Structures are given as C-alpha cells and as structure tokens.
Amino acid sequence: MISYPNAKINLGLNVRSRLQDGYHNITSFFLPIPLCDILEFNLNPSCLEKTQITYSGIIFPDISHDLVIQAYNLLDNDFNLPAIKIHLHKCIPSSAGLGGGSSNAVFMLEMLNNFFNLELNKIELLRYAMILGSDCPFFLYNSFSQVSGIGQYVKEIDFEFKDYYIILVKPSFSASTALVFSKLELSKNKIHELHLSNDSNMWKKQLFNDLETVTFSMCPELRIIKKKLYSLGATYASMSGSGSSIYGLFDKEPIVNNLFHEHWVWQGKLGKFFK
C-alpha cells in the first residue's frame, strides 16, 4: 500500500499563551501544499518477526523518534497488528516548519486503518493523532483550515488557492521547535489577532508569525530570504511554523533563476493539489 503524505505551511501564527504542561495555545491558518513524501508498506509476515522501516531521499537526523513507527506502535498496541515492512522516501525537509513528520504519521494511521479494516472513525483517529503531535490532527482534514488550541481544534475554511504559485526556501540551518518556543517571550499586553481577508494584497498587513523574531535571531539569513521573495513579487512571504523554511506565495509564476542557489528550494503550483 502506498500514499503521498504532503507538507503544510502556516499563514500566520499567533502564540496566545503558554500552558502549564509546556504546550502553547496558538491560532494559525494551515495550508496543505503539493510537496510530498512517499510512504509504502507491505505485509510480509513470513520473513519478518517485527516491523521494519527503511529510508531514502532527504536524510533526517533522528530516526529513533520517527513518527511513522510511533503511529504503527499505537495501533499495534490496541489491535495486535501483523509485522509489516515500511519504506519512507523523504522529499520534505525536517525541522523546517512544514509538518512532514506529522503528515507521515497521520497517513500511516489512515493506511493501517484502511488496510486492516480497523473501522476507526475520524474522532477515534483524532485521539491517536493528538498523542503523536500537535500538528497531526490537521492532516486528518488536510484542507485549508484555522487551527487553534494546541492543534486539536481544526476548522476548515472555503478559500480558493488554485491559481497561486509557491516557492519554499530552506537554508542548511534547522530550527528546533521546542527551542524556538522556549525562547519566545509572550507579551501580556498583546491584542493583535490574525485576520485573513479575501484580498491577498492585505495579508502582509493582517498576518504575522510570532515565532519569526526568535528564529530570525538564530538564523539572520532567514530575514534576507524573506526580503528576496518579496523582491520577486510575492503577494505574501513568511516563515512556516517555527522555521526554518521561508515561503512566498505568488499570483503569477515567478522566475527564480539562481537567486537561492546556496539553499534547498522547491517551487510548485497550488492548483495541482487543490482540485
């Protein structure tokens, strides 16, 4: 069985408060994008005593905490699943604010649910998703949504993105989500709220990512990348999540040339994903 877990970007991210358990109460707009990994598994119990996983593509640093295996283990604990052989081909960079690990985990939950006829409904899958991570519930909906709380509240929004182009740029620097949040100083007097009008030309004034200041201080090159995306004609440019990727949204296809030749770059059209 094979699937194509996709990435997401954040259109704005408002960190509203820090909770006693260390998590953060946030509001953000999550947009799925057509940058995808490839996730496959095969049932082959005759030669496997336990589930195995192999990797290819972009190398990520800590496979011992791979959410794909954690997703399998969650369902295995409750349903005693047979051993399977998994292969994950990574195209989505890790520690980039793109939700690649969360997407992999949720797609694995859904694949296992369908393949083994576990008959888990969305509410039950949401419970597993929340155990795996705060970005995971979104990928059960995987459409443009307002996400709030610690990620458990997902409200789908009807908005047309099919005519937009996107450029993603990630330098070699990788951002630790936990470290970025730990360095964030919350203002008690903050009253700004995220707004998303139908006029994308207003987004630069309406949207903000509270984590940019922290991550930009750790990697000043990110601020330069953002300015370059605006110089190319981006309607809106921002850091996604806690970083370290920066994206630009364009209403016509941009010409990048070698402007970001020293960084990882991906370019696409949202219309190929939103049908």
Side-chain angles (χ1 to χ4, degrees):
M1 194 171 192
I2 190 168
S3 68
Y4 302 90
N6 59 276
K8 60 83 180 167
I9 56 172
N10 297 78
L11 271 68
L13 198 162
N14 182 6
V15 183
R16 303 176 65 87
S17 62
R18 182 178 286 112
L19 306 177
Q20 291 184 346
D21 58 8
Y23 287 94
H24 290 77
N25 180 27
I26 62 103
T27 299
S28 181
F29 297 104
F30 280 34
L31 175 65
I33 61 173
L35 168 61
C36 301
D37 291 337
I38 305 171
L39 180 62
E40 181 181 15
F41 75 77
N42 295 290
L43 181 63
N44 193 359
S46 60
C47 64
L48 289 179
E49 295 183 0
K50 65 179 182 178
T51 289
Q52 298 175 356
I53 186 168
T54 55
Y55 304 92
S56 59
I58 296 176
I59 298 174
F60 57 102
D62 190 4
I63 62 175
S64 63
H65 292 92
D66 184 6
L67 290 177
V68 170
I69 290 295
Q70 292 184 38
Y72 172 85
N73 289 338
L74 275 179
L75 294 186
D76 182 39
N77 288 338
D78 290 344
F79 296 96
N80 192 26
L81 301 178
I84 60 175
K85 186 175 182 180
I86 307 166
H87 184 77
L88 175 61
H89 181 77
K90 289 294 295 178
C91 300
I92 305 170
S94 61
S95 299
L98 300 174
S102 298
S103 182
N104 295 156
V106 171
F107 273 70
M108 176 55 75
L109 288 178
E110 294 180 317
M111 290 169 70
L112 294 170
N113 186 39
N114 293 331
F115 187 85
F116 293 112
N117 297 313
L118 304 181
E119 299 183 350
L120 294 168
N121 60 35
K122 182 169 285 189
I123 293 176
E124 291 168 323
L125 286 170
L126 275 170
R127 295 193 188 105
Y128 289 108
M130 279 304 300
I131 294 172
L132 290 166
S134 58
D135 281 352
C136 291
F138 162 75
F139 286 103
L140 285 172
Y141 297 85
N142 213 15
S143 63
F144 184 53
S145 303
Q146 184 179 49
V147 177
S148 57
I150 59 171
Q152 76 273 39
Y153 302 119
V154 181
K155 179 182 178 182
E156 294 177 281
I157 299 173
D158 184 15
F159 197 97
E160 188 62 78
F161 281 96
K162 70 177 183 179
D163 294 325
Y164 284 86
Y165 295 85
I166 181 173
I167 296 175
L168 272 176
V169 184
K170 182 190 179 298
S172 57
F173 168 81
S174 294
S176 163
T177 299
L179 179 60
V180 172
F181 270 99
S182 70
K183 290 179 174 292
L184 178 66
E185 295 183 6
L186 295 176
S187 173
K188 296 180 180 179
N189 300 319
K190 182 179 176 182
I191 59 175
H192 297 295
E193 299 286 343
L194 293 179
H195 296 284
L196 187 75
S197 71
N198 292 327
D199 182 1
S200 60
N201 292 311
M202 297 295 294
W203 294 352
K204 190 175 181 179
K205 296 180 179 179
Q206 295 174 332
L207 298 174
F208 55 89
N209 183 338
D210 283 332
L211 300 177
E212 277 193 357
T213 301
V214 176
T215 311
F216 283 10
S217 68
M218 297 165 64
C219 181
E221 178 67 20
L222 297 175
R223 192 184 307 276
I224 297 172
I225 293 171
K226 182 176 177 178
K227 289 181 179 179
K228 286 183 178 180
L229 288 168
Y230 273 124
S231 73
L232 287 175
T235 300
Y236 180 66
S238 177
M239 184 177 76
S240 185
S242 58
S244 60
S245 64
I246 306 289
Y247 67 85
L249 297 179
F250 300 79
D251 55 14
K252 60 182 179 180
E253 187 171 9
I255 299 175
V256 179
N257 294 324
N258 292 319
L259 189 60
F260 304 107
H261 66 276
E262 69 272 33
H263 304 309
W264 176 90
V265 179
W266 177 84
Q267 186 172 357
K269 187 179 181 184
L270 296 182
K272 294 181 179 178
F273 192 60
F274 295 90
K275 300 179 180 179

Short mmCIF file of all heavy atoms in Angstrom, two decimals, residues 154-191:
data_model
loop_
_atom_site.label_atom_id
_atom_site.label_comp_id
_atom_site.label_asym_id
_atom_site.label_seq_id
_atom_site.Cartn_x
_atom_site.Cartn_y
_atom_site.Cartn_z
N VAL A 154 -9.68 22.14 14.65
CA VAL A 154 -9.45 22.35 13.22
C VAL A 154 -10.76 22.76 12.57
O VAL A 154 -11.73 21.99 12.57
CB VAL A 154 -8.89 21.08 12.54
CG1 VAL A 154 -8.63 21.34 11.06
CG2 VAL A 154 -7.62 20.61 13.24
N LYS A 155 -10.79 23.96 12.01
CA LYS A 155 -11.99 24.46 11.35
C LYS A 155 -11.67 24.71 9.88
O LYS A 155 -10.88 25.59 9.54
CB LYS A 155 -12.45 25.77 12.00
CG LYS A 155 -13.69 26.38 11.37
CD LYS A 155 -14.05 27.69 12.04
CE LYS A 155 -15.27 28.34 11.37
NZ LYS A 155 -15.60 29.65 12.00
N GLU A 156 -12.26 23.91 9.01
CA GLU A 156 -11.99 24.04 7.58
C GLU A 156 -12.58 25.35 7.04
O GLU A 156 -13.65 25.79 7.45
CB GLU A 156 -12.56 22.85 6.83
CG GLU A 156 -11.87 21.53 7.18
CD GLU A 156 -12.47 20.34 6.48
OE1 GLU A 156 -13.54 19.87 6.95
OE2 GLU A 156 -11.90 19.88 5.49
N ILE A 157 -11.84 25.96 6.10
CA ILE A 157 -12.22 27.25 5.54
C ILE A 157 -12.29 27.12 4.02
O ILE A 157 -11.39 26.56 3.39
CB ILE A 157 -11.20 28.35 5.91
CG1 ILE A 157 -11.13 28.51 7.43
CG2 ILE A 157 -11.57 29.68 5.25
CD1 ILE A 157 -10.02 29.45 7.87
N ASP A 158 -13.36 27.65 3.44
CA ASP A 158 -13.53 27.62 1.99
C ASP A 158 -12.80 28.82 1.39
O ASP A 158 -13.24 29.96 1.54
CB ASP A 158 -15.01 27.66 1.64
CG ASP A 158 -15.27 27.54 0.13
OD1 ASP A 158 -14.33 27.13 -0.58
OD2 ASP A 158 -16.39 27.85 -0.31
N PHE A 159 -11.67 28.55 0.76
CA PHE A 159 -10.87 29.62 0.15
C PHE A 159 -10.18 29.05 -1.07
O PHE A 159 -9.67 27.92 -1.04
CB PHE A 159 -9.84 30.15 1.15
CG PHE A 159 -9.27 31.50 0.79
CD1 PHE A 159 -9.78 32.66 1.34
CD2 PHE A 159 -8.24 31.60 -0.12
CE1 PHE A 159 -9.26 33.91 1.00
CE2 PHE A 159 -7.70 32.83 -0.48
CZ PHE A 159 -8.22 33.99 0.08
N GLU A 160 -10.15 29.81 -2.14
CA GLU A 160 -9.59 29.33 -3.41
C GLU A 160 -8.12 29.69 -3.55
O GLU A 160 -7.75 30.86 -3.58
CB GLU A 160 -10.38 29.95 -4.57
CG GLU A 160 -10.02 29.40 -5.92
CD GLU A 160 -10.34 27.92 -6.04
OE1 GLU A 160 -11.52 27.57 -6.24
OE2 GLU A 160 -9.39 27.12 -5.92
N PHE A 161 -7.28 28.65 -3.62
CA PHE A 161 -5.83 28.85 -3.76
C PHE A 161 -5.28 28.31 -5.07
O PHE A 161 -4.07 28.38 -5.30
CB PHE A 161 -5.08 28.16 -2.61
CG PHE A 161 -5.10 28.91 -1.32
CD1 PHE A 161 -6.03 28.61 -0.34
CD2 PHE A 161 -4.18 29.92 -1.07
CE1 PHE A 161 -6.06 29.30 0.87
CE2 PHE A 161 -4.20 30.60 0.13
CZ PHE A 161 -5.13 30.30 1.10
N LYS A 162 -6.12 27.79 -5.93
CA LYS A 162 -5.61 27.01 -7.07
C LYS A 162 -4.78 27.82 -8.05
O LYS A 162 -4.00 27.25 -8.82
CB LYS A 162 -6.77 26.34 -7.80
CG LYS A 162 -7.69 27.28 -8.56
CD LYS A 162 -8.75 26.47 -9.29
CE LYS A 162 -9.65 27.39 -10.13
NZ LYS A 162 -10.67 26.62 -10.85
N ASP A 163 -4.91 29.13 -8.08
CA ASP A 163 -4.15 29.94 -9.04
C ASP A 163 -2.86 30.51 -8.45
O ASP A 163 -2.19 31.32 -9.10
CB ASP A 163 -5.02 31.08 -9.57
CG ASP A 163 -6.20 30.57 -10.39
OD1 ASP A 163 -6.02 29.56 -11.09
OD2 ASP A 163 -7.29 31.17 -10.33
N TYR A 164 -2.50 30.09 -7.24
CA TYR A 164 -1.30 30.61 -6.59
C TYR A 164 -0.09 29.70 -6.85
O TYR A 164 -0.21 28.48 -6.89
CB TYR A 164 -1.50 30.73 -5.08
CG TYR A 164 -2.33 31.92 -4.67
CD1 TYR A 164 -3.72 31.85 -4.64
CD2 TYR A 164 -1.73 33.12 -4.30
CE1 TYR A 164 -4.48 32.94 -4.27
CE2 TYR A 164 -2.49 34.22 -3.92
CZ TYR A 164 -3.87 34.11 -3.91
OH TYR A 164 -4.62 35.20 -3.55
N TYR A 165 1.06 30.33 -6.98
CA TYR A 165 2.33 29.63 -7.06
C TYR A 165 3.05 29.79 -5.71
O TYR A 165 2.81 30.75 -4.98
CB TYR A 165 3.20 30.20 -8.17
CG TYR A 165 2.65 29.99 -9.56
CD1 TYR A 165 1.72 30.89 -10.09
CD2 TYR A 165 3.04 28.90 -10.34
CE1 TYR A 165 1.20 30.71 -11.37
CE2 TYR A 165 2.53 28.72 -11.61
CZ TYR A 165 1.61 29.62 -12.12
OH TYR A 165 1.10 29.44 -13.38
N ILE A 166 3.93 28.85 -5.42
CA ILE A 166 4.66 28.91 -4.15
C ILE A 166 6.13 28.59 -4.37
O ILE A 166 6.48 27.74 -5.20
CB ILE A 166 4.05 27.93 -3.11
CG1 ILE A 166 4.81 28.01 -1.78
CG2 ILE A 166 4.00 26.50 -3.65
CD1 ILE A 166 4.16 27.21 -0.66
N ILE A 167 6.98 29.31 -3.65
CA ILE A 167 8.40 28.99 -3.57
C ILE A 167 8.73 28.74 -2.10
O ILE A 167 8.36 29.55 -1.24
CB ILE A 167 9.28 30.13 -4.10
CG1 ILE A 167 9.04 30.36 -5.59
CG2 ILE A 167 10.77 29.82 -3.87
CD1 ILE A 167 9.80 31.56 -6.13
N LEU A 168 9.39 27.63 -1.84
CA LEU A 168 9.89 27.31 -0.50
C LEU A 168 11.40 27.38 -0.52
O LEU A 168 12.04 26.84 -1.43
CB LEU A 168 9.48 25.89 -0.10
CG LEU A 168 8.15 25.64 0.59
CD1 LEU A 168 7.97 24.14 0.79
CD2 LEU A 168 8.06 26.36 1.91
N VAL A 169 11.96 28.03 0.49
CA VAL A 169 13.42 28.12 0.61
C VAL A 169 13.82 27.71 2.02
O VAL A 169 13.29 28.24 3.00
CB VAL A 169 13.93 29.55 0.32
CG1 VAL A 169 15.46 29.58 0.36
CG2 VAL A 169 13.42 30.05 -1.02
N LYS A 170 14.75 26.78 2.12
CA LYS A 170 15.26 26.37 3.43
C LYS A 170 16.79 26.37 3.41
O LYS A 170 17.40 25.67 2.61
CB LYS A 170 14.77 24.97 3.81
CG LYS A 170 15.25 24.54 5.20
CD LYS A 170 14.98 23.08 5.47
CE LYS A 170 15.50 22.68 6.86
NZ LYS A 170 16.97 22.86 6.98
N PRO A 171 17.39 27.15 4.30
CA PRO A 171 18.85 27.12 4.41
C PRO A 171 19.30 25.85 5.14
O PRO A 171 18.47 25.05 5.58
CB PRO A 171 19.16 28.36 5.24
CG PRO A 171 17.94 28.55 6.08
CD PRO A 171 16.78 28.10 5.24
N SER A 172 20.58 25.67 5.29
CA SER A 172 21.10 24.48 5.98
C SER A 172 20.74 24.49 7.46
O SER A 172 20.69 23.45 8.11
CB SER A 172 22.62 24.39 5.81
OG SER A 172 23.25 25.56 6.31
N PHE A 173 20.49 25.68 8.01
CA PHE A 173 20.08 25.79 9.41
C PHE A 173 18.73 25.12 9.62
O PHE A 173 17.79 25.29 8.84
CB PHE A 173 19.97 27.28 9.78
CG PHE A 173 19.29 27.54 11.10
CD1 PHE A 173 19.98 27.41 12.29
CD2 PHE A 173 17.96 27.92 11.15
CE1 PHE A 173 19.36 27.65 13.51
CE2 PHE A 173 17.32 28.16 12.35
CZ PHE A 173 18.03 28.03 13.54
N SER A 174 18.61 24.33 10.68
CA SER A 174 17.34 23.68 11.04
C SER A 174 16.89 24.18 12.41
O SER A 174 17.70 24.32 13.33
CB SER A 174 17.51 22.16 11.07
OG SER A 174 17.77 21.66 9.78
N ALA A 175 15.62 24.46 12.53
CA ALA A 175 15.08 25.04 13.76
C ALA A 175 14.44 23.96 14.63
O ALA A 175 13.61 23.19 14.16
CB ALA A 175 14.05 26.11 13.42
N SER A 176 14.82 23.94 15.89
CA SER A 176 14.18 23.06 16.87
C SER A 176 12.92 23.75 17.38
O SER A 176 12.98 24.84 17.94
CB SER A 176 15.13 22.79 18.04
OG SER A 176 14.42 22.29 19.16
N THR A 177 11.77 23.12 17.15
CA THR A 177 10.50 23.71 17.58
C THR A 177 10.50 23.99 19.08
O THR A 177 10.09 25.07 19.53
CB THR A 177 9.34 22.78 17.22
OG1 THR A 177 9.30 22.60 15.80
CG2 THR A 177 8.01 23.36 17.68
N ALA A 178 10.98 23.02 19.86
CA ALA A 178 10.99 23.18 21.31
C ALA A 178 11.87 24.36 21.72
O ALA A 178 11.51 25.15 22.61
CB ALA A 178 11.46 21.90 21.98
N LEU A 179 13.04 24.49 21.09
CA LEU A 179 13.95 25.57 21.44
C LEU A 179 13.37 26.93 21.07
O LEU A 179 13.45 27.88 21.86
CB LEU A 179 15.29 25.37 20.73
CG LEU A 179 16.36 26.44 20.97
CD1 LEU A 179 16.71 26.52 22.45
CD2 LEU A 179 17.61 26.15 20.13
N VAL A 180 12.76 27.02 19.88
CA VAL A 180 12.18 28.30 19.45
C VAL A 180 11.07 28.73 20.40
O VAL A 180 11.03 29.89 20.84
CB VAL A 180 11.65 28.19 18.01
CG1 VAL A 180 10.87 29.43 17.62
CG2 VAL A 180 12.80 27.98 17.03
N PHE A 181 10.18 27.82 20.74
CA PHE A 181 9.10 28.17 21.66
C PHE A 181 9.63 28.54 23.04
O PHE A 181 9.09 29.42 23.70
CB PHE A 181 8.10 27.01 21.78
CG PHE A 181 6.99 27.05 20.77
CD1 PHE A 181 7.04 26.28 19.63
CD2 PHE A 181 5.88 27.87 20.97
CE1 PHE A 181 6.01 26.31 18.70
CE2 PHE A 181 4.86 27.91 20.05
CZ PHE A 181 4.91 27.13 18.91
N SER A 182 10.70 27.88 23.47
CA SER A 182 11.24 28.17 24.81
C SER A 182 11.84 29.57 24.87
O SER A 182 11.89 30.18 25.95
CB SER A 182 12.30 27.13 25.19
OG SER A 182 13.48 27.28 24.41
N LYS A 183 12.32 30.09 23.74
CA LYS A 183 12.93 31.41 23.69
C LYS A 183 11.91 32.53 23.45
O LYS A 183 12.25 33.71 23.54
CB LYS A 183 14.00 31.46 22.60
CG LYS A 183 15.25 30.64 22.91
CD LYS A 183 16.26 30.73 21.78
CE LYS A 183 17.56 30.03 22.12
NZ LYS A 183 18.30 30.75 23.19
N LEU A 184 10.68 32.17 23.13
CA LEU A 184 9.66 33.17 22.84
C LEU A 184 9.21 33.88 24.11
O LEU A 184 8.85 33.24 25.11
CB LEU A 184 8.45 32.52 22.17
CG LEU A 184 7.28 33.44 21.85
CD1 LEU A 184 7.67 34.46 20.78
CD2 LEU A 184 6.07 32.62 21.41
N GLU A 185 9.24 35.19 24.10
CA GLU A 185 8.74 36.00 25.21
C GLU A 185 7.35 36.51 24.86
O GLU A 185 7.18 37.28 23.91
CB GLU A 185 9.69 37.16 25.49
CG GLU A 185 11.07 36.73 25.97
CD GLU A 185 11.96 37.91 26.31
OE1 GLU A 185 11.46 39.06 26.29
OE2 GLU A 185 13.16 37.69 26.60
N LEU A 186 6.37 36.07 25.63
CA LEU A 186 4.99 36.46 25.35
C LEU A 186 4.68 37.80 25.99
O LEU A 186 5.02 38.06 27.15
CB LEU A 186 4.03 35.39 25.89
CG LEU A 186 4.11 34.02 25.22
CD1 LEU A 186 3.20 33.03 25.92
CD2 LEU A 186 3.76 34.12 23.75
N SER A 187 4.02 38.66 25.23
CA SER A 187 3.63 39.97 25.74
C SER A 187 2.25 39.89 26.40
O SER A 187 1.30 39.39 25.81
CB SER A 187 3.59 40.98 24.59
OG SER A 187 3.05 42.21 25.04
N LYS A 188 2.16 40.37 27.63
CA LYS A 188 0.89 40.35 28.35
C LYS A 188 -0.12 41.34 27.76
O LYS A 188 -1.32 41.20 27.94
CB LYS A 188 1.11 40.66 29.83
CG LYS A 188 1.95 39.63 30.56
CD LYS A 188 2.13 39.99 32.03
CE LYS A 188 2.96 38.96 32.77
NZ LYS A 188 3.16 39.31 34.20
N ASN A 189 0.40 42.33 27.06
CA ASN A 189 -0.48 43.37 26.52
C ASN A 189 -0.82 43.18 25.04
O ASN A 189 -1.39 44.05 24.42
CB ASN A 189 0.18 44.75 26.69
CG ASN A 189 0.45 45.07 28.15
OD1 ASN A 189 -0.38 44.78 29.01
ND2 ASN A 189 1.61 45.64 28.43
N LYS A 190 -0.48 42.02 24.51
CA LYS A 190 -0.70 41.79 23.09
C LYS A 190 -2.19 41.67 22.78
O LYS A 190 -2.92 40.90 23.42
CB LYS A 190 0.01 40.50 22.67
CG LYS A 190 -0.12 40.19 21.20
CD LYS A 190 0.64 38.92 20.87
CE LYS A 190 0.45 38.54 19.42
NZ LYS A 190 1.14 37.30 19.09
N ILE A 191 -2.65 42.42 21.80
CA ILE A 191 -4.07 42.40 21.45
C ILE A 191 -4.27 42.06 19.97
O ILE A 191 -5.40 41.94 19.51
CB ILE A 191 -4.74 43.77 21.75
CG1 ILE A 191 -4.04 44.87 20.96
CG2 ILE A 191 -4.76 44.05 23.24
CD1 ILE A 191 -4.73 46.23 21.09
#
